[in-house]
Amino acid sequence: MEIKMNLTKTPKEKPDQSKLGFGKFFTDHMFIMDWDSENGWHDARIEPFGPLVLHPAATVFHYGAEIFEGLKAYRRPDGDVQLFRPWENIKRLNNSAERLSLPQVDEEFTLDALKKFVALEKDWVPSEPGTSLYLRPFLFGNDETLGVHTIHHAKFVIIASPVGAYYAEGLNPVKIMIETQDVRAVRGGTGYTKCGGNYAASMRAGDRAAAEGYSQVLWLDGVERKYIEEVGAMNVMFLINGVVVTPALTGSILPGITRKSCIELLREMGYKVEERLLSVEELSAALRDGTLEEAWGCGTAAVISPIGELRMGQAHYQVADGGIGKLSQKLYDTLTSIQWGVAEDTHSWTCKV
Ligand SMILES: *Cc1c(COP(=O)(O)O)cnc(C)c1O
């Protein structure tokens, strides 16, 4: 499929790289293609960034048929731009699509479209330390009827936003609390997909935690309310007695690409990594007897988010003395130096655009 180009005649001014924040500025263009059950994907195009005009009955507004991805384009020291394991994002997009009965994309075409789009927006990839161009592909049902039935029309869009360093002053430990009321996802549900509805259902707990001075919640499983699942919208890892423990992918956990990369790097460093169930009791025992050495969240946006304080009911615990653990720092340094092209990419994880 050919990608039609309709370029803007009024390019925007680039924002100040020290004031980017997250998802506040958008590039000059967006990629769009349409799907219907008769013709498949068609009409791939890059056009000026702007509002989408949708029918008020569009499926996405009423029945939440929406999935997305999040990845970054990084400015290398030599000035080139590269992506980090983008094929993993596209594979995951298709897994999410399958769960929500949305159409599959052609993986090769989509990777090619992503690269062409980033190449066009190359000048928008910032170069200050820790900055990047965040890419947000999303796909939604777009049937113009209120009938609840198989999706016959869908849209796939990619937008891009230059984003700042997640931590303005380097890594920063976060305070988290265990959420005992709401659950993010259940087995058999949509927990393993990146769908908008998962986020909508998790905001109330996030708001409550924020009101008490915590930046994220630690989610428990929805059945027994006993096993650790994720932290906020990140995967979570614990260093207990020299062994790294991370919740197994049971179906209600998002299979993070940062998680996968951390596991591979940790094993290369010689750490034993266990993907298994981890109960709150086991975690609180490790906190009490001092065998919990470090804990961190991991995801594309923050890369590594060290956990400095954990609240369980009325008990408050410090983790890694409330600071940044050695292993958290080492993982962050190792992963970010590959992503920004500072270290050699011995895993073939990156690709230039
Ligand atoms: C996106 C996401 C992650 C992290 O995935 P990455 O591929 O590492 O960015 C973890 N948990 C949830 C709920 C997510 O949506």
Side-chain angles (χ1 to χ4, degrees), residues 228-230 234-240 243-250 253-254 258-260 262-263 266-267 272-278 282 296-298:
I228 309 289
E229 299 227 308
E230 298 201 48
M234 287 182 284
N235 294 115
V236 66
M237 296 186 172
F238 301 90
L239 178 65
I240 305 174
V243 174
V244 178
V245 181
T246 191
L249 301 177
T250 49
I253 292 174
L254 199 285
T258 317
R259 175 187 181 278
K260 183 175 179 173
C262 285
I263 292 173
L266 285 162
R267 289 191 173 140
K272 190 172 169 210
V273 182
E274 295 178 350
E275 295 178 70
R276 61 169 171 87
L277 295 180
L278 173 66
E282 183 183 345
W296 63 87
C298 56

PDB file of all heavy atoms in Angstrom, residues 228-230 234-240 243-250 253-254 258-260 262-263 266-267 272-278 282 296-298:
ATOM      1  N   ILE A 228       0.915  -9.431  43.926  1.00  0.00           N
ATOM      2  CA  ILE A 228       1.333  -8.164  43.319  1.00  0.00           C
ATOM      3  C   ILE A 228       1.236  -8.280  41.793  1.00  0.00           C
ATOM      4  O   ILE A 228       1.675  -9.289  41.233  1.00  0.00           O
ATOM      5  CB  ILE A 228       2.809  -7.859  43.685  1.00  0.00           C
ATOM      6  CG1 ILE A 228       3.057  -7.973  45.187  1.00  0.00           C
ATOM      7  CG2 ILE A 228       3.254  -6.520  43.114  1.00  0.00           C
ATOM      8  CD1 ILE A 228       2.473  -6.938  46.032  1.00  0.00           C
ATOM      9  N   GLU A 229       0.702  -7.246  41.142  1.00  0.00           N
ATOM     10  CA  GLU A 229       0.623  -7.290  39.677  1.00  0.00           C
ATOM     11  C   GLU A 229       1.484  -6.228  38.999  1.00  0.00           C
ATOM     12  O   GLU A 229       2.414  -6.525  38.269  1.00  0.00           O
ATOM     13  CB  GLU A 229      -0.839  -7.146  39.231  1.00  0.00           C
ATOM     14  CG  GLU A 229      -1.710  -8.283  39.760  1.00  0.00           C
ATOM     15  CD  GLU A 229      -2.596  -8.882  38.718  1.00  0.00           C
ATOM     16  OE1 GLU A 229      -3.304  -8.121  38.054  1.00  0.00           O
ATOM     17  OE2 GLU A 229      -2.595 -10.121  38.582  1.00  0.00           O
ATOM     18  N   GLU A 230       1.149  -4.939  39.206  1.00  0.00           N
ATOM     19  CA  GLU A 230       1.895  -3.872  38.541  1.00  0.00           C
ATOM     20  C   GLU A 230       1.945  -2.661  39.465  1.00  0.00           C
ATOM     21  O   GLU A 230       1.243  -2.619  40.482  1.00  0.00           O
ATOM     22  CB  GLU A 230       1.197  -3.453  37.240  1.00  0.00           C
ATOM     23  CG  GLU A 230       1.102  -4.569  36.219  1.00  0.00           C
ATOM     24  CD  GLU A 230       0.885  -4.038  34.808  1.00  0.00           C
ATOM     25  OE1 GLU A 230       1.596  -3.115  34.380  1.00  0.00           O
ATOM     26  OE2 GLU A 230      -0.015  -4.566  34.130  1.00  0.00           O
ATOM     27  N   MET A 234       3.039   0.668  35.154  1.00  0.00           N
ATOM     28  CA  MET A 234       4.368   0.102  34.900  1.00  0.00           C
ATOM     29  C   MET A 234       4.400  -1.326  35.419  1.00  0.00           C
ATOM     30  O   MET A 234       3.664  -1.682  36.337  1.00  0.00           O
ATOM     31  CB  MET A 234       5.449   0.895  35.650  1.00  0.00           C
ATOM     32  CG  MET A 234       5.748   2.256  35.068  1.00  0.00           C
ATOM     33  SD  MET A 234       7.072   3.082  36.002  1.00  0.00           S
ATOM     34  CE  MET A 234       6.192   3.589  37.457  1.00  0.00           C
ATOM     35  N   ASN A 235       5.307  -2.112  34.895  1.00  0.00           N
ATOM     36  CA  ASN A 235       5.593  -3.421  35.496  1.00  0.00           C
ATOM     37  C   ASN A 235       6.466  -3.183  36.723  1.00  0.00           C
ATOM     38  O   ASN A 235       7.019  -2.106  36.895  1.00  0.00           O
ATOM     39  CB  ASN A 235       6.300  -4.319  34.473  1.00  0.00           C
ATOM     40  CG  ASN A 235       5.406  -4.666  33.303  1.00  0.00           C
ATOM     41  OD1 ASN A 235       5.666  -4.272  32.173  1.00  0.00           O
ATOM     42  ND2 ASN A 235       4.330  -5.384  33.575  1.00  0.00           N
ATOM     43  N   VAL A 236       6.558  -4.191  37.577  1.00  0.00           N
ATOM     44  CA  VAL A 236       7.279  -3.982  38.833  1.00  0.00           C
ATOM     45  C   VAL A 236       8.244  -5.141  39.106  1.00  0.00           C
ATOM     46  O   VAL A 236       7.963  -6.292  38.727  1.00  0.00           O
ATOM     47  CB  VAL A 236       6.265  -3.752  39.992  1.00  0.00           C
ATOM     48  CG1 VAL A 236       5.433  -5.003  40.276  1.00  0.00           C
ATOM     49  CG2 VAL A 236       6.953  -3.260  41.250  1.00  0.00           C
ATOM     50  N   MET A 237       9.377  -4.792  39.700  1.00  0.00           N
ATOM     51  CA  MET A 237      10.402  -5.803  40.022  1.00  0.00           C
ATOM     52  C   MET A 237      10.930  -5.568  41.432  1.00  0.00           C
ATOM     53  O   MET A 237      10.985  -4.426  41.894  1.00  0.00           O
ATOM     54  CB  MET A 237      11.574  -5.696  39.033  1.00  0.00           C
ATOM     55  CG  MET A 237      11.169  -6.016  37.616  1.00  0.00           C
ATOM     56  SD  MET A 237      12.553  -6.067  36.475  1.00  0.00           S
ATOM     57  CE  MET A 237      11.683  -6.711  35.033  1.00  0.00           C
ATOM     58  N   PHE A 238      11.312  -6.650  42.085  1.00  0.00           N
ATOM     59  CA  PHE A 238      11.829  -6.579  43.456  1.00  0.00           C
ATOM     60  C   PHE A 238      13.145  -7.342  43.536  1.00  0.00           C
ATOM     61  O   PHE A 238      13.245  -8.444  42.971  1.00  0.00           O
ATOM     62  CB  PHE A 238      10.824  -7.206  44.434  1.00  0.00           C
ATOM     63  CG  PHE A 238       9.479  -6.543  44.402  1.00  0.00           C
ATOM     64  CD1 PHE A 238       8.488  -6.988  43.526  1.00  0.00           C
ATOM     65  CD2 PHE A 238       9.201  -5.458  45.221  1.00  0.00           C
ATOM     66  CE1 PHE A 238       7.242  -6.372  43.470  1.00  0.00           C
ATOM     67  CE2 PHE A 238       7.955  -4.839  45.178  1.00  0.00           C
ATOM     68  CZ  PHE A 238       6.978  -5.293  44.299  1.00  0.00           C
ATOM     69  N   LEU A 239      14.105  -6.765  44.224  1.00  0.00           N
ATOM     70  CA  LEU A 239      15.355  -7.485  44.495  1.00  0.00           C
ATOM     71  C   LEU A 239      15.255  -7.997  45.924  1.00  0.00           C
ATOM     72  O   LEU A 239      15.284  -7.217  46.881  1.00  0.00           O
ATOM     73  CB  LEU A 239      16.559  -6.548  44.315  1.00  0.00           C
ATOM     74  CG  LEU A 239      17.940  -7.155  44.610  1.00  0.00           C
ATOM     75  CD1 LEU A 239      18.282  -8.270  43.616  1.00  0.00           C
ATOM     76  CD2 LEU A 239      19.028  -6.069  44.574  1.00  0.00           C
ATOM     77  N   ILE A 240      15.055  -9.308  46.051  1.00  0.00           N
ATOM     78  CA  ILE A 240      14.885  -9.928  47.367  1.00  0.00           C
ATOM     79  C   ILE A 240      16.023 -10.925  47.576  1.00  0.00           C
ATOM     80  O   ILE A 240      16.131 -11.898  46.836  1.00  0.00           O
ATOM     81  CB  ILE A 240      13.516 -10.657  47.479  1.00  0.00           C
ATOM     82  CG1 ILE A 240      12.363  -9.701  47.139  1.00  0.00           C
ATOM     83  CG2 ILE A 240      13.329 -11.253  48.881  1.00  0.00           C
ATOM     84  CD1 ILE A 240      10.989 -10.362  47.079  1.00  0.00           C
ATOM     85  N   VAL A 243      17.983 -11.987  44.557  1.00  0.00           N
ATOM     86  CA  VAL A 243      17.255 -12.544  43.413  1.00  0.00           C
ATOM     87  C   VAL A 243      16.206 -11.529  42.949  1.00  0.00           C
ATOM     88  O   VAL A 243      15.538 -10.905  43.772  1.00  0.00           O
ATOM     89  CB  VAL A 243      16.562 -13.874  43.805  1.00  0.00           C
ATOM     90  CG1 VAL A 243      15.681 -14.400  42.686  1.00  0.00           C
ATOM     91  CG2 VAL A 243      17.599 -14.908  44.213  1.00  0.00           C
ATOM     92  N   VAL A 244      16.071 -11.354  41.639  1.00  0.00           N
ATOM     93  CA  VAL A 244      15.055 -10.435  41.130  1.00  0.00           C
ATOM     94  C   VAL A 244      13.751 -11.199  40.929  1.00  0.00           C
ATOM     95  O   VAL A 244      13.732 -12.240  40.257  1.00  0.00           O
ATOM     96  CB  VAL A 244      15.508  -9.763  39.818  1.00  0.00           C
ATOM     97  CG1 VAL A 244      14.414  -8.846  39.269  1.00  0.00           C
ATOM     98  CG2 VAL A 244      16.794  -8.964  40.037  1.00  0.00           C
ATOM     99  N   VAL A 245      12.681 -10.686  41.545  1.00  0.00           N
ATOM    100  CA  VAL A 245      11.373 -11.329  41.431  1.00  0.00           C
ATOM    101  C   VAL A 245      10.428 -10.353  40.738  1.00  0.00           C
ATOM    102  O   VAL A 245      10.346  -9.176  41.117  1.00  0.00           O
ATOM    103  CB  VAL A 245      10.806 -11.703  42.818  1.00  0.00           C
ATOM    104  CG1 VAL A 245       9.461 -12.393  42.686  1.00  0.00           C
ATOM    105  CG2 VAL A 245      11.793 -12.594  43.570  1.00  0.00           C
ATOM    106  N   THR A 246       9.728 -10.833  39.720  1.00  0.00           N
ATOM    107  CA  THR A 246       8.738  -9.998  39.030  1.00  0.00           C
ATOM    108  C   THR A 246       7.494 -10.844  38.773  1.00  0.00           C
ATOM    109  O   THR A 246       7.605 -12.049  38.499  1.00  0.00           O
ATOM    110  CB  THR A 246       9.329  -9.390  37.726  1.00  0.00           C
ATOM    111  OG1 THR A 246       8.422  -8.390  37.238  1.00  0.00           O
ATOM    112  CG2 THR A 246       9.559 -10.422  36.639  1.00  0.00           C
ATOM    113  N   PRO A 247       6.306 -10.237  38.901  1.00  0.00           N
ATOM    114  CA  PRO A 247       5.082 -11.017  38.692  1.00  0.00           C
ATOM    115  C   PRO A 247       5.055 -11.689  37.319  1.00  0.00           C
ATOM    116  O   PRO A 247       5.450 -11.095  36.322  1.00  0.00           O
ATOM    117  CB  PRO A 247       3.978  -9.962  38.811  1.00  0.00           C
ATOM    118  CG  PRO A 247       4.569  -8.920  39.708  1.00  0.00           C
ATOM    119  CD  PRO A 247       6.019  -8.864  39.339  1.00  0.00           C
ATOM    120  N   ALA A 248       4.620 -12.941  37.303  1.00  0.00           N
ATOM    121  CA  ALA A 248       4.510 -13.696  36.059  1.00  0.00           C
ATOM    122  C   ALA A 248       3.372 -13.118  35.212  1.00  0.00           C
ATOM    123  O   ALA A 248       2.424 -12.531  35.747  1.00  0.00           O
ATOM    124  CB  ALA A 248       4.238 -15.162  36.381  1.00  0.00           C
ATOM    125  N   LEU A 249       3.453 -13.302  33.898  1.00  0.00           N
ATOM    126  CA  LEU A 249       2.428 -12.785  32.983  1.00  0.00           C
ATOM    127  C   LEU A 249       1.231 -13.728  32.981  1.00  0.00           C
ATOM    128  O   LEU A 249       1.138 -14.646  32.175  1.00  0.00           O
ATOM    129  CB  LEU A 249       3.013 -12.636  31.576  1.00  0.00           C
ATOM    130  CG  LEU A 249       4.221 -11.692  31.468  1.00  0.00           C
ATOM    131  CD1 LEU A 249       4.748 -11.676  30.040  1.00  0.00           C
ATOM    132  CD2 LEU A 249       3.859 -10.268  31.920  1.00  0.00           C
ATOM    133  N   THR A 250       0.327 -13.473  33.931  1.00  0.00           N
ATOM    134  CA  THR A 250      -0.789 -14.395  34.147  1.00  0.00           C
ATOM    135  C   THR A 250      -2.008 -14.076  33.292  1.00  0.00           C
ATOM    136  O   THR A 250      -2.993 -14.805  33.325  1.00  0.00           O
ATOM    137  CB  THR A 250      -1.236 -14.305  35.618  1.00  0.00           C
ATOM    138  OG1 THR A 250      -1.400 -12.908  35.925  1.00  0.00           O
ATOM    139  CG2 THR A 250      -0.221 -14.906  36.548  1.00  0.00           C
ATOM    140  N   ILE A 253      -1.687  -8.932  33.474  1.00  0.00           N
ATOM    141  CA  ILE A 253      -0.524  -8.042  33.514  1.00  0.00           C
ATOM    142  C   ILE A 253      -0.102  -7.701  32.093  1.00  0.00           C
ATOM    143  O   ILE A 253      -0.110  -8.558  31.207  1.00  0.00           O
ATOM    144  CB  ILE A 253       0.625  -8.727  34.285  1.00  0.00           C
ATOM    145  CG1 ILE A 253       0.225  -8.850  35.760  1.00  0.00           C
ATOM    146  CG2 ILE A 253       1.939  -7.979  34.118  1.00  0.00           C
ATOM    147  CD1 ILE A 253       1.194  -9.628  36.593  1.00  0.00           C
ATOM    148  N   LEU A 254       0.272  -6.439  31.895  1.00  0.00           N
ATOM    149  CA  LEU A 254       0.709  -6.003  30.574  1.00  0.00           C
ATOM    150  C   LEU A 254       2.143  -6.502  30.321  1.00  0.00           C
ATOM    151  O   LEU A 254       3.024  -6.249  31.141  1.00  0.00           O
ATOM    152  CB  LEU A 254       0.660  -4.459  30.558  1.00  0.00           C
ATOM    153  CG  LEU A 254       0.638  -3.675  29.250  1.00  0.00           C
ATOM    154  CD1 LEU A 254       1.996  -3.651  28.576  1.00  0.00           C
ATOM    155  CD2 LEU A 254      -0.416  -4.162  28.279  1.00  0.00           C
ATOM    156  N   THR A 258       9.875  -2.951  28.268  1.00  0.00           N
ATOM    157  CA  THR A 258      10.941  -2.586  29.211  1.00  0.00           C
ATOM    158  C   THR A 258      11.162  -3.746  30.181  1.00  0.00           C
ATOM    159  O   THR A 258      12.302  -4.091  30.496  1.00  0.00           O
ATOM    160  CB  THR A 258      10.554  -1.312  29.981  1.00  0.00           C
ATOM    161  OG1 THR A 258       9.984  -0.371  29.066  1.00  0.00           O
ATOM    162  CG2 THR A 258      11.760  -0.688  30.649  1.00  0.00           C
ATOM    163  N   ARG A 259      10.071  -4.356  30.640  1.00  0.00           N
ATOM    164  CA  ARG A 259      10.152  -5.537  31.523  1.00  0.00           C
ATOM    165  C   ARG A 259      10.985  -6.629  30.875  1.00  0.00           C
ATOM    166  O   ARG A 259      11.929  -7.154  31.465  1.00  0.00           O
ATOM    167  CB  ARG A 259       8.733  -6.045  31.821  1.00  0.00           C
ATOM    168  CG  ARG A 259       8.631  -7.326  32.621  1.00  0.00           C
ATOM    169  CD  ARG A 259       7.174  -7.802  32.688  1.00  0.00           C
ATOM    170  NE  ARG A 259       7.021  -9.017  33.473  1.00  0.00           N
ATOM    171  CZ  ARG A 259       7.244 -10.240  33.016  1.00  0.00           C
ATOM    172  NH1 ARG A 259       7.621 -10.427  31.760  1.00  0.00           N
ATOM    173  NH2 ARG A 259       7.076 -11.287  33.807  1.00  0.00           N
ATOM    174  N   LYS A 260      10.617  -6.950  29.629  1.00  0.00           N
ATOM    175  CA  LYS A 260      11.309  -7.995  28.891  1.00  0.00           C
ATOM    176  C   LYS A 260      12.802  -7.665  28.729  1.00  0.00           C
ATOM    177  O   LYS A 260      13.665  -8.514  28.921  1.00  0.00           O
ATOM    178  CB  LYS A 260      10.633  -8.121  27.514  1.00  0.00           C
ATOM    179  CG  LYS A 260      11.150  -9.185  26.614  1.00  0.00           C
ATOM    180  CD  LYS A 260      10.278  -9.234  25.341  1.00  0.00           C
ATOM    181  CE  LYS A 260      10.798 -10.295  24.375  1.00  0.00           C
ATOM    182  NZ  LYS A 260       9.877 -10.455  23.226  1.00  0.00           N
ATOM    183  N   CYS A 262      14.600  -5.633  30.638  1.00  0.00           N
ATOM    184  CA  CYS A 262      15.247  -5.695  31.960  1.00  0.00           C
ATOM    185  C   CYS A 262      15.588  -7.134  32.314  1.00  0.00           C
ATOM    186  O   CYS A 262      16.679  -7.419  32.802  1.00  0.00           O
ATOM    187  CB  CYS A 262      14.331  -5.120  33.044  1.00  0.00           C
ATOM    188  SG  CYS A 262      14.237  -3.330  33.031  1.00  0.00           S
ATOM    189  N   ILE A 263      14.643  -8.041  32.084  1.00  0.00           N
ATOM    190  CA  ILE A 263      14.882  -9.452  32.419  1.00  0.00           C
ATOM    191  C   ILE A 263      16.097  -9.968  31.645  1.00  0.00           C
ATOM    192  O   ILE A 263      16.993 -10.609  32.208  1.00  0.00           O
ATOM    193  CB  ILE A 263      13.623 -10.306  32.138  1.00  0.00           C
ATOM    194  CG1 ILE A 263      12.505  -9.929  33.125  1.00  0.00           C
ATOM    195  CG2 ILE A 263      13.935 -11.798  32.226  1.00  0.00           C
ATOM    196  CD1 ILE A 263      11.160 -10.581  32.832  1.00  0.00           C
ATOM    197  N   LEU A 266      19.289  -8.295  33.070  1.00  0.00           N
ATOM    198  CA  LEU A 266      19.606  -8.796  34.415  1.00  0.00           C
ATOM    199  C   LEU A 266      20.232 -10.188  34.345  1.00  0.00           C
ATOM    200  O   LEU A 266      21.199 -10.481  35.047  1.00  0.00           O
ATOM    201  CB  LEU A 266      18.342  -8.838  35.278  1.00  0.00           C
ATOM    202  CG  LEU A 266      17.846  -7.479  35.772  1.00  0.00           C
ATOM    203  CD1 LEU A 266      16.389  -7.563  36.214  1.00  0.00           C
ATOM    204  CD2 LEU A 266      18.724  -6.962  36.905  1.00  0.00           C
ATOM    205  N   ARG A 267      19.681 -11.036  33.479  1.00  0.00           N
ATOM    206  CA  ARG A 267      20.233 -12.393  33.358  1.00  0.00           C
ATOM    207  C   ARG A 267      21.650 -12.339  32.809  1.00  0.00           C
ATOM    208  O   ARG A 267      22.524 -13.079  33.256  1.00  0.00           O
ATOM    209  CB  ARG A 267      19.314 -13.269  32.502  1.00  0.00           C
ATOM    210  CG  ARG A 267      18.027 -13.593  33.261  1.00  0.00           C
ATOM    211  CD  ARG A 267      17.167 -14.667  32.599  1.00  0.00           C
ATOM    212  NE  ARG A 267      16.064 -15.007  33.490  1.00  0.00           N
ATOM    213  CZ  ARG A 267      14.811 -15.232  33.104  1.00  0.00           C
ATOM    214  NH1 ARG A 267      14.489 -15.193  31.819  1.00  0.00           N
ATOM    215  NH2 ARG A 267      13.869 -15.510  33.995  1.00  0.00           N
ATOM    216  N   LYS A 272      19.737 -13.953  38.984  1.00  0.00           N
ATOM    217  CA  LYS A 272      18.661 -14.920  38.822  1.00  0.00           C
ATOM    218  C   LYS A 272      17.368 -14.098  38.781  1.00  0.00           C
ATOM    219  O   LYS A 272      17.147 -13.250  39.661  1.00  0.00           O
ATOM    220  CB  LYS A 272      18.681 -15.881  40.012  1.00  0.00           C
ATOM    221  CG  LYS A 272      17.765 -17.053  39.834  1.00  0.00           C
ATOM    222  CD  LYS A 272      17.962 -18.087  40.954  1.00  0.00           C
ATOM    223  CE  LYS A 272      16.834 -19.094  40.887  1.00  0.00           C
ATOM    224  NZ  LYS A 272      16.513 -19.638  42.214  1.00  0.00           N
ATOM    225  N   VAL A 273      16.533 -14.322  37.770  1.00  0.00           N
ATOM    226  CA  VAL A 273      15.261 -13.595  37.677  1.00  0.00           C
ATOM    227  C   VAL A 273      14.124 -14.611  37.748  1.00  0.00           C
ATOM    228  O   VAL A 273      14.086 -15.557  36.954  1.00  0.00           O
ATOM    229  CB  VAL A 273      15.158 -12.784  36.362  1.00  0.00           C
ATOM    230  CG1 VAL A 273      13.855 -12.001  36.319  1.00  0.00           C
ATOM    231  CG2 VAL A 273      16.348 -11.850  36.190  1.00  0.00           C
ATOM    232  N   GLU A 274      13.220 -14.401  38.689  1.00  0.00           N
ATOM    233  CA  GLU A 274      12.078 -15.308  38.825  1.00  0.00           C
ATOM    234  C   GLU A 274      10.800 -14.589  38.400  1.00  0.00           C
ATOM    235  O   GLU A 274      10.449 -13.559  38.969  1.00  0.00           O
ATOM    236  CB  GLU A 274      11.938 -15.771  40.285  1.00  0.00           C
ATOM    237  CG  GLU A 274      13.114 -16.619  40.759  1.00  0.00           C
ATOM    238  CD  GLU A 274      13.012 -17.037  42.221  1.00  0.00           C
ATOM    239  OE1 GLU A 274      12.127 -16.521  42.942  1.00  0.00           O
ATOM    240  OE2 GLU A 274      13.838 -17.873  42.641  1.00  0.00           O
ATOM    241  N   GLU A 275      10.105 -15.166  37.410  1.00  0.00           N
ATOM    242  CA  GLU A 275       8.793 -14.662  37.014  1.00  0.00           C
ATOM    243  C   GLU A 275       7.785 -15.588  37.674  1.00  0.00           C
ATOM    244  O   GLU A 275       7.635 -16.736  37.262  1.00  0.00           O
ATOM    245  CB  GLU A 275       8.628 -14.712  35.498  1.00  0.00           C
ATOM    246  CG  GLU A 275       9.566 -13.802  34.747  1.00  0.00           C
ATOM    247  CD  GLU A 275       9.393 -13.940  33.238  1.00  0.00           C
ATOM    248  OE1 GLU A 275       8.359 -13.513  32.706  1.00  0.00           O
ATOM    249  OE2 GLU A 275      10.304 -14.490  32.605  1.00  0.00           O
ATOM    250  N   ARG A 276       7.132 -15.083  38.713  1.00  0.00           N
ATOM    251  CA  ARG A 276       6.239 -15.968  39.481  1.00  0.00           C
ATOM    252  C   ARG A 276       5.234 -15.134  40.268  1.00  0.00           C
ATOM    253  O   ARG A 276       5.255 -13.906  40.218  1.00  0.00           O
ATOM    254  CB  ARG A 276       7.080 -16.831  40.427  1.00  0.00           C
ATOM    255  CG  ARG A 276       7.889 -16.016  41.454  1.00  0.00           C
ATOM    256  CD  ARG A 276       8.461 -16.956  42.510  1.00  0.00           C
ATOM    257  NE  ARG A 276       9.412 -16.346  43.412  1.00  0.00           N
ATOM    258  CZ  ARG A 276       9.100 -15.713  44.540  1.00  0.00           C
ATOM    259  NH1 ARG A 276       7.835 -15.519  44.875  1.00  0.00           N
ATOM    260  NH2 ARG A 276      10.049 -15.224  45.321  1.00  0.00           N
ATOM    261  N   LEU A 277       4.356 -15.814  40.976  1.00  0.00           N
ATOM    262  CA  LEU A 277       3.426 -15.107  41.847  1.00  0.00           C
ATOM    263  C   LEU A 277       4.201 -14.579  43.054  1.00  0.00           C
ATOM    264  O   LEU A 277       5.072 -15.270  43.591  1.00  0.00           O
ATOM    265  CB  LEU A 277       2.320 -16.048  42.329  1.00  0.00           C
ATOM    266  CG  LEU A 277       1.365 -16.593  41.266  1.00  0.00           C
ATOM    267  CD1 LEU A 277       0.325 -17.516  41.913  1.00  0.00           C
ATOM    268  CD2 LEU A 277       0.661 -15.460  40.521  1.00  0.00           C
ATOM    269  N   LEU A 278       3.904 -13.360  43.467  1.00  0.00           N
ATOM    270  CA  LEU A 278       4.547 -12.770  44.638  1.00  0.00           C
ATOM    271  C   LEU A 278       3.431 -12.190  45.499  1.00  0.00           C
ATOM    272  O   LEU A 278       2.727 -11.266  45.078  1.00  0.00           O
ATOM    273  CB  LEU A 278       5.526 -11.681  44.200  1.00  0.00           C
ATOM    274  CG  LEU A 278       6.159 -10.839  45.320  1.00  0.00           C
ATOM    275  CD1 LEU A 278       7.067 -11.678  46.196  1.00  0.00           C
ATOM    276  CD2 LEU A 278       6.937  -9.663  44.733  1.00  0.00           C
ATOM    277  N   GLU A 282       4.483 -12.254  51.392  1.00  0.00           N
ATOM    278  CA  GLU A 282       5.915 -12.491  51.139  1.00  0.00           C
ATOM    279  C   GLU A 282       6.666 -11.160  51.066  1.00  0.00           C
ATOM    280  O   GLU A 282       7.753 -11.020  51.615  1.00  0.00           O
ATOM    281  CB  GLU A 282       6.092 -13.277  49.828  1.00  0.00           C
ATOM    282  CG  GLU A 282       7.555 -13.603  49.559  1.00  0.00           C
ATOM    283  CD  GLU A 282       7.809 -14.319  48.227  1.00  0.00           C
ATOM    284  OE1 GLU A 282       6.846 -14.829  47.618  1.00  0.00           O
ATOM    285  OE2 GLU A 282       8.982 -14.349  47.817  1.00  0.00           O
ATOM    286  N   TRP A 296      11.495  -1.512  41.949  1.00  0.00           N
ATOM    287  CA  TRP A 296      11.368  -0.476  40.926  1.00  0.00           C
ATOM    288  C   TRP A 296      10.257  -0.812  39.944  1.00  0.00           C
ATOM    289  O   TRP A 296       9.935  -1.973  39.721  1.00  0.00           O
ATOM    290  CB  TRP A 296      12.703  -0.273  40.180  1.00  0.00           C
ATOM    291  CG  TRP A 296      13.178  -1.478  39.424  1.00  0.00           C
ATOM    292  CD1 TRP A 296      12.850  -1.840  38.146  1.00  0.00           C
ATOM    293  CD2 TRP A 296      14.063  -2.510  39.913  1.00  0.00           C
ATOM    294  NE1 TRP A 296      13.465  -3.011  37.808  1.00  0.00           N
ATOM    295  CE2 TRP A 296      14.223  -3.443  38.856  1.00  0.00           C
ATOM    296  CE3 TRP A 296      14.738  -2.725  41.120  1.00  0.00           C
ATOM    297  CZ2 TRP A 296      15.022  -4.578  38.991  1.00  0.00           C
ATOM    298  CZ3 TRP A 296      15.532  -3.869  41.249  1.00  0.00           C
ATOM    299  CH2 TRP A 296      15.670  -4.770  40.195  1.00  0.00           C
ATOM    300  N   GLY A 297       9.688   0.233  39.371  1.00  0.00           N
ATOM    301  CA  GLY A 297       8.740   0.069  38.283  1.00  0.00           C
ATOM    302  C   GLY A 297       9.517   0.198  36.979  1.00  0.00           C
ATOM    303  O   GLY A 297      10.580   0.818  36.954  1.00  0.00           O
ATOM    304  N   CYS A 298       9.002  -0.391  35.891  1.00  0.00           N
ATOM    305  CA  CYS A 298       9.675  -0.208  34.602  1.00  0.00           C
ATOM    306  C   CYS A 298       8.658  -0.086  33.475  1.00  0.00           C
ATOM    307  O   CYS A 298       7.652  -0.777  33.452  1.00  0.00           O
ATOM    308  CB  CYS A 298      10.682  -1.321  34.340  1.00  0.00           C
ATOM    309  SG  CYS A 298      10.026  -2.984  34.410  1.00  0.00           S
TER     310      CYS A 298
END
